[in-house]
């Protein structure tokens, strides 16, 4: 819910509101699912896109790097399980 609202406001151009929702989503997902859950990776990717739209390349890169690490870890786990 929070993640989706953050994405909606990102596309609408309301970056302040988008950031609020996405950071709350990240915090909630980390606590509920763990730091390496694929949903945490999705929210990190959304924060990376938001920061890119805002022109903050350094922060966008940091969030995208984290999202990539989480995604790579989950792909390896899925391949191992079959």
């Amino acid at each position: 819910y929070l993640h989706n609202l953050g994405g909606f406001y990102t596309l609408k151009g309301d970056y302040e509101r988008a950031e609020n929702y996405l950071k709350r989503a990240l915090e909630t997902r980390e606590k509920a699912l763990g730091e390496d859950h694929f949903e945490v990776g999705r929210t990190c990717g959304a924060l990376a896109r938001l920061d890119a739209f805002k022109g903050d390349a350094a922060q966008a890169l940091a969030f995208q790097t984290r999202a990539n690490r989480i995604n790579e870890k989950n792909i390896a786990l899925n391949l191992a399980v079959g």
Side-chain angles (χ1 to χ4, degrees), residues 30-72:
E30 286 173 334
K31 286 181 183 176
L33 303 171
E35 292 187 359
D36 289 330
H37 194 275
F38 77 94
E39 290 291 349
V40 172
R42 285 186 61 225
T43 301
C44 287
L47 281 161
R49 284 186 296 281
L50 171 63
D51 286 327
F53 288 143
K54 290 174 20 182
D56 188 349
Q59 189 61 46
L61 180 60
F63 275 121
Q64 190 60 55
T65 300
R66 182 174 177 202
N68 291 347
R69 182 188 55 77
I70 292 169
N71 291 336
E72 288 172 3

Side-chain angles (χ1 to χ4, degrees), residues 75-82:
I75 286 172
L77 290 173
N78 288 337
L79 292 174
V81 172

